[in-house]
Amino acid sequence: AVRRGVGPAFFVFMAMNSHNEVENIFRYLPLNPKDLHWGLYLTGIGQAFIPRGCAYPPPGHPEVYDFSWQSGRVLPEYQVVFISEGQGQFESAATGHIQIGRHDSILLFPGQWHRYRPDPQTGWREHWISFNGDYVWRLQKHRILSPARAVLHVQQADLLLETHHRIWQQVSSQPLDNSFLLSAMAMEILALTLNEIPSRTDEESIPGCSDSLVSEALRLIWNHSYRDISVQDLARELSTTRRTLERRFAQHLNAT
């Protein structure tokens, strides 16, 4: 079914099995200009049960989201695909071929070619959301999200599935309202997926320094990394000059 009238088209698709039970369902949500300012906004949600030996992916998706194993696809936004049952395979330009299984999440990135499918011997059950926004771009910019680290094992699978269920309830009760509540729940799914990634690797840790001015400058840089900060901002905060900062950084860190 396609419903028009608020923002882009609102797509709903359901596939019934022989017992007239919903097996596959997805919704692509309308967007309003205000949604783009929330930092992270939901664009779609879906779930599918693929029995062993069945064709994949299920039919009915808009052309931009549809794909085949032979051709793969490139998305215009981010997706998280969570596998709650079964196993299969994933491949992308950044990762190569990877075997995936129960409680694995696949992170899909805009502009990155990829493909995935369940093992014909097992099938699988998948739950996915698609989303976009400045907040997600910042996560990728700071390498918290990386196309090279596209498959993650989720430890808190029950919580993630519960959040998916709450999103479905919200979308079902208010199908044309892409609310901030949906954005918050999408962020919760992303957080549960990324929870096993160390917040800072050894290579990314703040280097030690015996110079108190340089150490304080490094502390300020890390504590204000959520916003743009210039060398002049640091110099002003530390009551020193840009030239002094650059000289001390070069002396103690061999860096500007």
Side-chain angles (χ1 to χ4, degrees):
V2 181
R3 184 172 183 176
R4 300 181 184 274
V6 178
F10 173 55
F11 292 89
V12 181
F13 180 83
M14 296 182 182
M16 305 292 183
N17 66 13
S18 58
H19 301 289
N20 204 36
E21 297 170 338
V22 174
E23 292 285 356
N24 309 303
I25 181 172
F26 54 81
R27 297 186 177 184
Y28 294 100
L29 305 178
L31 290 176
N32 292 311
K34 65 179 179 64
D35 302 332
L36 306 180
H37 301 298
W38 287 342
L40 188 155
Y41 50 89
L42 194 69
T43 58
I45 180 173
Q47 60 187 37
F49 172 63
I50 313 298
R52 61 182 182 177
C54 286
Y56 187 84
H61 289 272
E63 183 178 357
V64 68
Y65 297 101
D66 201 12
F67 72 101
S68 68
W69 178 256
Q70 288 71 29
S71 62
R73 72 176 174 188
V74 176
L75 286 172
E77 59 206 3
Y78 296 88
Q79 280 193 2
V80 174
V81 183
F82 176 69
I83 309 304
S84 61
E85 300 175 19
Q87 60 186 30
Q89 50 190 314
F90 168 76
E91 184 178 357
S92 76
T95 65
H97 185 269
I98 299 177
Q99 293 292 328
I100 54 178
R102 182 172 180 263
H103 293 176
D104 283 341
S105 272
I106 310 168
L107 297 173
L108 304 176
F109 293 77
Q112 288 282 325
W113 178 89
H114 63 268
R115 60 183 182 176
Y116 55 93
R117 65 180 177 184
D119 187 323
Q121 299 301 314
T122 65
W124 73 23
R125 189 179 298 273
E126 67 181 29
H127 313 259
W128 59 266
I129 60 170
S130 56
F131 54 95
N132 215 335
D134 292 340
Y135 177 76
V136 201
W137 282 97
R138 289 199 301 271
L139 290 180
Q140 185 173 349
K141 176 183 176 181
H142 292 290
R143 295 181 295 175
I144 296 171
L145 289 175
S146 170
R149 191 170 50 209
V151 176
L152 297 168
H153 189 71
V154 177
Q155 297 294 337
Q156 296 175 293
D158 290 344
L159 284 176
L160 191 148
L161 286 172
E162 179 187 329
T163 306
H164 263 282
H165 179 65
R166 286 190 281 116
I167 293 177
W168 273 115
Q169 287 182 318
Q170 181 69 16
V171 169
S172 299
S173 64
Q174 301 183 52
L176 294 180
D177 182 17
N178 197 337
S179 65
F180 185 71
L181 181 60
L182 288 178
S183 298
M185 288 188 285
M187 192 175 295
E188 184 177 349
I189 285 180
L190 186 59
L192 289 168
T193 301
L194 299 177
N195 193 45
E196 301 308 311
I197 298 178
S199 59
R200 184 182 299 159
T201 65
D202 292 340
E203 292 81 6
E204 295 169 331
S205 60
I206 303 174
C209 181
S210 58
D211 185 280
S212 60
L213 181 65
V214 173
S215 294
E216 183 63 13
L218 291 172
R219 186 189 67 79
L220 287 171
I221 290 170
W222 278 92
N223 287 349
H224 294 82
S225 58
Y226 59 87
R227 66 174 177 86
D228 291 335
I229 184 170
S230 68
V231 178
Q232 196 58 46
D233 291 334
L234 286 174
R236 188 180 304 110
E237 183 71 21
L238 295 168
S239 301
T240 187
T241 64
R242 179 190 182 108
R243 183 176 180 182
T244 297
L245 272 179
E246 290 181 339
R247 178 173 54 81
R248 301 272 278 271
F249 265 66
Q251 178 183 351
H252 293 278
L253 297 180
N254 195 30
T256 63

